[in-house]
Amino acid sequence: MSVTVKRVGWYATGLILVVLAAFSAYVAISLSWSYSSGERAGFLQKMSLKGWICKTWEGELSLIAIPGAAPEKFLFSVRDAMVAKRLEAAMGKRVTLQYEQHKGVPSSCFGETEYFVVDLREVSP
């Protein structure tokens, strides 16, 4: 009977390792493969480092609207600390953000939104 118990233990360990490997591969693919990419222009309103355990950079861009229309907000996350530092320096200025959309990211530990800013350019008035 002890041989059977050992086999079950090895099978359970193997199953756990396979599940962890599959989950790790899924996370790696969802963070590296971009569903879409593009640019958004507007005024950078907010940048903050948020989270209880997993700290992520989150921001808000007020999109340039047609006069008389309600302003629209573009919420985004930043994974690169250098880009976050550049965004903080551009606070309140008109900018163009280059972003990538990553669908299916399994946790908010990587960012609260599916839009990840990868670069920015300040727009002169």
Side-chain angles (χ1 to χ4, degrees):
M1 184 159 142
S2 65
V3 173
T4 306
V5 172
K6 285 184 180 179
R7 275 193 192 156
V8 171
W10 281 108
Y11 289 140
T13 302
L15 179 63
I16 290 170
L17 289 176
V18 167
V19 169
L20 286 175
F23 180 73
S24 298
Y26 174 76
V27 169
I29 289 168
S30 70
L31 289 174
S32 63
W33 181 73
S34 175
Y35 175 75
S36 72
S37 60
E39 291 186 347
R40 297 273 178 120
F43 291 93
L44 191 57
Q45 285 187 310
K46 178 181 168 186
M47 275 298 295
S48 60
L49 186 61
K50 296 172 83 174
W52 292 102
I53 296 172
C54 302
K55 297 286 189 184
T56 59
W57 286 100
E58 305 298 326
E60 184 177 288
L61 183 75
S62 177
L63 300 176
I64 300 168
I66 300 170
E72 185 180 344
K73 294 178 182 175
F74 175 63
L75 304 175
F76 60 89
S77 300
V78 183
R79 291 176 53 202
D80 186 352
M82 294 303 293
V83 173
K85 191 176 282 193
R86 289 179 54 209
L87 284 164
E88 282 186 311
M91 190 66 63
K93 297 178 182 175
R94 187 172 174 186
V95 296
T96 299
L97 302 180
Q98 290 182 346
Y99 69 90
E100 295 177 348
Q101 183 180 11
H102 294 269
K103 288 198 170 270
V105 177
S107 169
S108 63
C109 278
F110 302 103
E112 291 184 1
T113 70
E114 60 185 37
Y115 299 100
F116 294 90
V117 169
V118 294
D119 199 12
L120 75 142
R121 185 180 73 240
E122 288 188 34
V123 178
S124 56

